[in-house]
Each structure stands twice: as C-alpha cells, then as structure tokens.
Amino acid sequence: MLESVLALGGLVLLRDCVEWEGRSLLKALIKKSVLCGEQVHVLGCEVSEQEFREGFDSDINSRLIYHDLFRDPLNWSETREALPGGPLEILRAVGKRTGPGHVTIALDSLSWLLLHLPCTTLCQTLHALSHQDSCPGGEPPVGQVRVLGLLHEELHGPGPMGALSSLAQTEVTLGGMLGQTSAHILYRRPQQCPSHQTQWFSILPDFSLDLQGGPPLESELHPDPHTSLPTASFTVLQTKPGYRPYLLRTRCLRRPGPRRSR
C-alpha cells in the first residue's frame, strides 16, 4: 500500500513533524525507485551528502545523482560548482533531460526551498515538472516525472501548505501511536474522487520498508483491585483523510462497590 505512492507521477508530499521524522521514509522511497530502474536525482539542502548517503549500499549510492545544495546553497564561494540559477535551475534542468524512462526527483527538503524561494515561483516550477507527461508542440513524452518533497509542516502557514497541497497528486502524513509509525495517504487521481488509506510500517536499517498491521484497535486499561479509580476503554478513530488518528474515550467503568440499601 505505501509503495503505491510510486505508482503515479507528479508531486508527492511527505508531511512529517517533530515527533515523526520523514527523511527515513524519503530514503526508503528513493531506494525503491532506484531498484525499479528509475533515474533518481536528489537535491540535498538540509544535511550533508555524506550523512544523506549513510545506510545505502554501494550499488544504490552509485546510481544516485546528488546535487549538493547543503555545502554552498547560494554559491557564495563562487566556485561555479553550482548552477547559476540555484535550486530552481537544477529542477528545470532535470525536467529538460532527454531519453526515455521514469525520473524521480527527491527534495530534501521542500521546506528548505519554500523558506528560501518565492512560494509562487516554486509552485510554478513544481507544476511544470508534474506535467512533463504532456509535452507541448506534439513532442512525445520522455517519461514520467515524480517529485518527492519532504515537508516539515510545522514550519509553514496555511497559505503555502494549501498551495502545495493543491499541486500534489499524493500526500503522505506521518503519525503513529504505541511506538509504531503510520502513514495516512491521500490520493488524487484525474476524474476520480480523492481516496485515502492508512498504512503502519517500520523502516529497516538498510532503508527497506517493513509493512505492518498496526496496533490493536482497542486497548483496555484494567482496574487496580486496590483502588476504586475509574477505568476507560479507548478506541482509535480516524478523522478526515490525511489526518492522524485520535483517541476517543468510549465508556467509563467504575469498580463495583457495595450497593446502598433503600
């Protein structure tokens, strides 16, 4: 189920938070794309290239095309190693590549780009990349382009978040409970109603996905025989598509005590 986010092209938002980090999932999806024979570009902005490549084997690392924006994102050192146009020029250049086959562009992170570039310009660039399948002038499409954007949703207001959400074909919101991580996946397909699914998973040290069934739907808090405190039963419910589960107290029971005589 979680791997199905790679079935379509377009923009895929990976929305994480402080409690549930998303870089590990980004790297797991990158590994899956490489193993499927896709060309994978990584725009690294938040961590060093060495740190990002840790955990991948030599075969995966040799097939990644890494664009290092962490060391000198604005080319202040004037080494001419970076493209003159910076991150946007890299994105446009990748979109203009020639040759058949699918391409995955991983943004680590989209939040960094959003904080350093005009939101309108960034959204226009992402929109152009997401519609590479339909080439103007009757030219044959060169292949599907997928953009994986790691988004730290706590850093942005509703305006930028709403703009990016309107561009995305798929949104993955990370959450979890009871020590397990969940992904709430919202799909938007052309001419279809949006659909959503929930997948519980863990990520192995080599960044393989381990899909799981998730925690039990109901956990009971058993009464202490030495107290008369109430106990409660909690049920996991899911709110609107793309949101994390919450806990709803369904009933409250008190320890039986002696009945009062009438």
Side-chain angles (χ1 to χ4, degrees):
M1 182 188 302
L2 186 56
E3 295 175 345
S4 65
V5 303
L6 300 176
L8 300 176
L11 176 61
V12 179
L13 295 181
L14 305 178
R15 303 173 57 164
D16 72 354
C17 58
V18 173
E19 293 84 2
W20 306 99
E21 62 89 21
R23 181 167 291 111
S24 297
L25 177 58
L26 175 67
K27 294 176 71 170
L29 296 177
I30 287 173
K31 177 180 179 179
K32 183 68 176 179
S33 297
V34 170
L35 293 178
C36 290
E38 298 182 8
Q39 185 182 108
V40 179
H41 293 257
V42 179
L43 269 68
C45 310
E46 288 191 351
V47 299
S48 67
E49 180 178 359
Q50 178 181 0
E51 181 178 345
F52 187 87
R53 290 182 178 273
E54 288 179 358
F56 289 137
D57 60 32
S58 58
D59 179 59
I60 298 295
N61 274 322
S62 66
R63 294 160 67 180
L64 289 181
I65 304 173
Y66 197 90
H67 306 273
D68 189 359
L69 298 176
F70 175 79
R71 182 172 50 183
D72 186 12
L74 302 178
N75 199 28
W76 285 349
S77 61
E78 298 182 356
T79 59
R80 297 184 180 180
E81 294 180 1
L83 291 174
L88 290 180
E89 186 61 30
I90 294 175
L91 289 174
R92 295 182 183 120
V94 172
K96 294 177 181 177
R97 85 277 180 270
T98 58
H102 295 345
V103 173
T104 292
I105 305 172
L107 307 178
D108 183 23
S109 69
L110 181 53
S111 284
W112 188 96
L113 296 176
L114 192 58
L115 293 173
H116 290 80
L117 299 171
C119 180
T120 302
T121 305
L122 179 59
C123 287
Q124 290 173 345
T125 304
L126 293 174
H127 180 268
L129 285 173
S130 301
H131 291 77
Q132 288 288 323
D133 293 351
S134 54
C135 297
E139 299 178 1
V142 293
Q144 186 182 80
V145 177
R146 181 187 307 107
V147 180
L148 303 176
L150 178 60
L151 190 63
H152 311 312
E153 59 182 4
E154 294 159 322
L155 299 181
H156 311 290
M161 291 294 296
L164 290 172
S165 180
S166 66
L167 294 176
Q169 280 70 42
T170 307
E171 293 186 60
V172 181
T173 303
L174 296 178
M177 63 178 300
L178 302 180
Q180 287 187 272
T181 307
S182 65
H184 304 276
I185 310 168
L186 173 63
Y187 300 97
R188 296 185 182 93
R189 293 181 174 86
Q191 300 178 348
Q192 295 184 22
C193 294
S195 60
H196 63 96
Q197 297 173 319
T198 300
Q199 175 68 65
W200 297 84
F201 69 98
S202 63
I203 297 177
L204 303 180
D206 65 346
F207 294 105
S208 298
L209 284 171
D210 180 20
L211 304 182
Q212 301 169 352
L217 288 180
E218 187 171 310
S219 68
E220 298 286 350
L221 299 178
H222 300 287
D224 185 340
H226 303 290
T227 68
S228 58
L229 295 176
T231 63
S233 169
F234 295 91
T235 302
V236 179
L237 298 181
Q238 182 171 326
T239 59
K240 296 180 181 179
Y243 286 80
R244 300 184 183 86
Y246 65 94
L247 297 178
L248 175 68
R249 187 166 66 177
T250 55
R251 62 183 180 273
C252 183
L253 304 175
R254 292 187 179 273
R255 182 181 174 220
R259 294 184 179 180
R260 295 181 180 179
S261 58
R262 296 183 180 180

